[in-house]
Amino acid sequence: MTDTHLELQGGTKRFGATVALSDVDLVVRRGSVHALVGENGAGKSTLGKVVAGVHTLDAGQLLVEGRPVELRSPRQALGLGLTIIAQELSLVPERSVVENVFLGLEDHSGPWVRRSAIRRRFDELVRSSGIAVPADALVSSLTVGQQQKVEILRALARRAQVVVMDEPTARLGAGETEALRSTVRRLAAAGTTVVFVSHFLDEVLSLADTITVMRDGRVVRTGPASAEDHRSLIEGMTGRTMDASFPDRLPAPADAREVLRVEGLSRRGSFEDVSFSVRAGEVVALAGLVGAGRSEVVRALYGADRADAGTVTLDGRVLRAKNPAQAIARGISMIPESRKDQGLLMGRSVRENVSLPFLRGLSRGGLVQRGQERRQTGQLARDVGVKTASSESPVLALSGGNQQKVLFARSLMRTPSLLIADEPTRGVDVGAKRTIYDLIADLAAQGVAVLMVSSELEEVLGLAHRVLVMRGGRLVSELAGDAATEDSIMAAAFGTRTASAAVPESRGEH
Ligand SMILES: Nc1ncnc2c1ncn2[C@@H]1O[C@H](COP(=O)(O)OP(=O)(O)OP(=O)(O)O)[C@@H](O)[C@H]1O
Ligand SMILES: [Mg+2]
C-alpha cells in the first residue's frame, strides 16, 4: 500500500496567455497537511482548483491513489473525495447552517423523515469532527470564522478525503485561527489529507508536515516543514532574500493639524460613544477582538453605515456622509473590509475598478479623458505591484492578493486627507506587504491622516503611531510609543491585566 494520496505529473494550466501552472510535479501523502506557499499569482489557488475539479488541466495528469483521473467538474471530483474551501466563501447566506451543509446532497428517504434524518446526520457530523456551529442559524448571521466551519462541515458531509483550504485563516482572528488549526490537525490525524494555502509563514511552519514552494506557476521545491524557516521560504518564493520588516516611522508632529475628529459616535448594537482624533501625518490603528466594533466604526465614518449619534469632523468641517461617494468627495479614501462585497466589480477591468469613483475628476465637458485615465491607473497598478496580463483584464482573472492590491491602487488615485484602511494587506504576500507598508508610510509622510484596522498585531505595532483598542463597542484604551506592545494591546482587548497566556500566536483577534 502506498501512502501517496494525490499526485500531479507535469500539470500545466493556461488562462489565455497566462501560464498559471507550468509543468508542476507534486506528491501529496495521505493524512498529511501539505502547505502551498508562494507570492500572489504564483498559482496556488489554480493548483487547488485543479485538484477540486474546478479547473481542467491543459497538459499533464492528476492521479488519485495512483490512478490517473480526468476531472470535468467539482461534482465529479467530490465523487473521488476531493474538494476545496475556496479563497472566497461560497455559502448561501439566506439558508440555515444545516441546509448549507447538505445542499445538493440527495436524500432519498422521502419528504417526511428527511428533515430529522438530515438533522441526525448533522449532529453526528458535529460530534465526530468536534466542529460546532448553531444548526438553525442563518449563514448570513454567522461570523466569518463560523462560516469557515460550515464550509468544513460541508466538505466532511460529502466524505471528502482531500480538502484544499485556500487561505482559510486570512479572515479570522486569533481565537478562531487557533480553532481552525486544531481542526486541521484533527482532520489529518483521522486520515484526511489537507492541502493548505496561506501567506502566514509562521502558521505554515507550525501546522504543515510538508511544504511546497511555488513561484511563477512552477514548483521551486517540496520538502518537510522542519527543513524550512521564515527566511528560506521567503527566499524560495521570491528568489531573493528580504526581510519583511517595516518602513521607518516619522514621529507624528504633536502640533500637526487635526484632520479627523470623532466625538461621541454611536450606532445601536455596534458601538457606543466613540471619540478620537487623527492628525495630519499620523497613523492610528484600531485594534480589538472580533465584534469589538472596529470595522463598524470605520464604515460609519465613510458613509457605508449610518451613525445614530455623535459628530464627525473632517478638515474642520462637519462630515455627514450618507454613502461612500460623499465621503470620497470630501477627501476620504478607503480600502473596505470585504473586497468582493464592498469593493470590487469582479467583471470589470482593473482600470475601471481603480478609476470608477473618480471618473468625474477625469472628465472634461462630460467626457472621460481615457488617455489620462489609462496612464494614471496603469501607473498606480504598477506602484502597488498588481500582477496582471493587462489593465484591461477583468478583476476576476486576478489572483486574490492582486485583487487586494487593486483596491489599494484605487485608494491612491488621489491624495486624500484621510485614508481609511480596513485590513489593507489581507491575502497579500510578504513582498507586496512591504510595498503596501511603504505606501502607507509615504502617505503619512506627505501629511495624510491614516486610520487603519488590522488583525495582525505586528502590522499595527510596525506602522501605527497610536493604537486605539476597542472592546464591546467602546474605546477602552489608547496606547502610544513604548506603551503599545502585543501584551498591552491584547490585555486591553480582552479586558484582562495580562493576556499573553490567552493569545497563543502573534496575530490579534479580528
Ligand atoms: N479565471 C482566471 N482567468 C484568467 N487568469 C486567471 C484566472 N485565475 C487565475 N488566473 C491567473 O493565474 C495566475 C495564478 O493565479 P492564482 O489565483 O492561482 O494565484 P495564487 O498563488 O493563488 O495567488 P494569491 O496569493 O494572490 O491568491 C495569475 O496570474 C492569475 O492572474
Ligand atoms: Mg489564491
Side-chain angles (χ1 to χ4, degrees):
M1 205 188 113
T2 164
D3 80 336
T4 296
H5 197 163
L6 203 67
E7 189 170 354
L8 197 58
Q9 295 176 341
T12 297
K13 176 69 193 170
R14 290 183 208 94
F15 296 103
T18 306
V19 187
L21 294 178
S22 175
D23 198 17
V24 167
D25 291 328
L26 187 73
V27 172
V28 180
R29 278 180 300 115
R30 175 179 296 282
S32 66
V33 179
H34 193 124
L36 304 177
V37 302
E39 293 188 291
N40 296 132
K44 306 177 297 293
S45 296
T46 303
L47 196 147
K49 286 176 181 169
V50 163
V51 169
V54 178
H55 293 322
T56 312
L57 286 173
D58 295 315
Q61 62 180 0
L62 181 70
L63 294 91
V64 179
E65 293 170 325
R67 276 189 299 279
V69 295
E70 256 190 63
L71 302 178
R72 295 268 160 237
S73 68
R75 178 174 280 266
Q76 193 195 346
L78 200 52
L80 291 163
L82 316 170
T83 192
I84 185 169
I85 298 174
Q87 209 160 354
E88 304 287 354
L89 301 182
S90 61
L91 300 170
V92 185
E94 294 315 319
R95 297 282 196 91
S96 75
V97 167
V98 180
E99 285 174 308
N100 268 279
V101 167
F102 294 104
L103 208 67
L105 285 183
E106 302 299 326
D107 189 297
H108 301 287
S109 45
W112 294 107
V113 274
R114 210 164 144 200
R115 242 185 121 82
S116 60
I118 285 185
R119 185 50 182 264
R120 260 200 309 282
R121 278 169 65 193
F122 180 82
D123 292 342
E124 175 49 35
L125 209 55
V126 168
R127 224 183 350 264
S128 61
S129 67
I131 303 171
V133 198
D136 298 316
L138 285 188
V139 160
S140 57
S141 74
L142 301 179
T143 68
V144 181
Q146 288 173 314
Q147 293 183 15
Q148 211 108 43
K149 289 184 188 167
V150 178
E151 291 259 10
I152 297 175
L153 287 176
R154 203 170 133 181
L156 296 178
R158 286 159 176 74
R159 307 218 157 70
Q161 287 155 45
V162 178
V163 182
V164 180
M165 297 190 185
D166 198 352
E167 297 191 39
T169 58
R171 308 174 73 178
L172 303 183
E176 289 177 319
T177 295
E178 195 40 47
L180 183 93
R181 287 182 200 156
S182 4
T183 304
V184 168
R185 285 193 196 98
R186 209 165 32 236
L187 288 178
T192 307
T193 302
V194 180
V195 178
F196 192 86
V197 180
S198 173
H199 286 292
F200 297 111
L201 300 182
D202 293 334
E203 168 172 284
V204 163
L205 287 164
S206 68
L207 193 59
D209 303 301
T210 311
I211 302 178
T212 292
V213 181
M214 299 183 68
R215 193 198 308 161
D216 295 334
R218 295 176 181 278
V219 167
V220 174
R221 64 171 172 269
T222 296
S226 55
E228 301 278 4
D229 60 20
H230 226 258
R231 235 192 147 68
S232 67
L233 288 179
I234 291 177
E235 207 178 325
M237 285 161 55
T238 63
R240 57 186 190 277
T241 52
M242 168 180 42
D243 67 303
S245 60
F246 294 88
D248 292 336
R249 194 172 6 193
L250 293 178
D255 52 356
R257 135 191 97 78
E258 209 171 71
V259 171
L260 176 72
R261 165 164 284 278
V262 178
E263 285 171 293
L265 200 67
S266 301
R267 178 178 158 85
R268 221 162 297 117
S270 297
F271 54 85
E272 220 184 309
D273 197 19
V274 170
S275 304
F276 64 93
S277 65
V278 187
R279 294 180 182 277
E282 199 183 18
V283 180
V284 172
L286 282 177
L289 302 181
V290 176
R294 301 166 305 161
S295 293
E296 287 76 3
V297 167
V298 301
R299 283 174 57 82
L301 292 181
Y302 66 67
D305 290 333
R306 198 75 67 85
D308 304 322
T311 54
V312 178
T313 313
L314 184 73
D315 289 325
R317 272 172 50 214
V318 171
L319 169 73
R320 276 192 212 91
K322 292 200 182 63
N323 52 52
Q326 290 181 356
I328 291 171
R330 281 287 308 273
I332 292 182
S333 278
M334 65 263 186
I335 305 171
E337 186 187 14
S338 161
R339 53 183 174 241
K340 206 169 162 193
D341 307 339
Q342 304 159 23
L344 297 171
L345 301 168
M346 301 305 279
R348 302 284 200 100
S349 69
V350 172
R351 169 178 54 79
E352 290 171 300
N353 270 283
V354 172
S355 67
L356 210 58
F358 306 100
L359 285 183
R360 191 182 293 179
L362 286 164
S363 300
R364 297 285 170 277
L367 282 179
V368 178
Q369 307 288 296
R370 290 292 173 204
Q372 190 195 341
E373 183 198 7
R374 250 183 211 115
R375 267 193 307 282
Q376 213 174 330
T377 55
Q379 186 57 47
L380 285 171
R382 275 191 296 281
D383 287 350
V384 301
V386 175
K387 213 185 121 188
T388 170
S390 142
S391 288
E392 298 307 314
S393 305
V395 162
L396 56 82
L398 266 55
S399 76
N402 281 305
Q403 293 176 2
Q404 181 70 10
K405 293 179 209 161
V406 170
L407 276 180
F408 203 83
R410 174 197 288 175
S411 75
L412 299 176
M413 263 299 272
R414 190 193 40 179
T415 306
S417 288
L418 172 70
L419 171 69
I420 297 178
D422 198 347
E423 304 289 356
T425 63
R426 168 178 293 157
V428 160
D429 66 52
V430 273
K433 267 188 186 168
R434 177 60 202 249
T435 306
I436 288 181
Y437 297 153
D438 284 340
L439 288 164
I440 288 178
D442 270 0
L443 286 175
Q446 288 170 42
V448 173
V450 180
L451 179 63
M452 65 181 247
V453 173
S454 170
S455 296
E456 284 180 69
L457 277 185
E458 218 181 72
E459 188 166 290
V460 165
L461 291 169
L463 285 177
H465 295 103
R466 269 191 300 140
V467 183
L468 308 174
V469 185
M470 290 190 71
R471 184 173 75 235
R474 289 178 174 271
L475 267 188
V476 292
S477 180
E478 174 174 336
L479 301 160
D482 293 343
T485 62
E486 285 193 11
D487 279 356
S488 66
I489 294 174
M490 291 320 293
F494 277 105
T496 52
R497 285 223 339 268
T498 158
S500 43
V503 185
E505 299 285 328
S506 62
R507 297 180 60 213
E509 275 274 359
H510 173 62

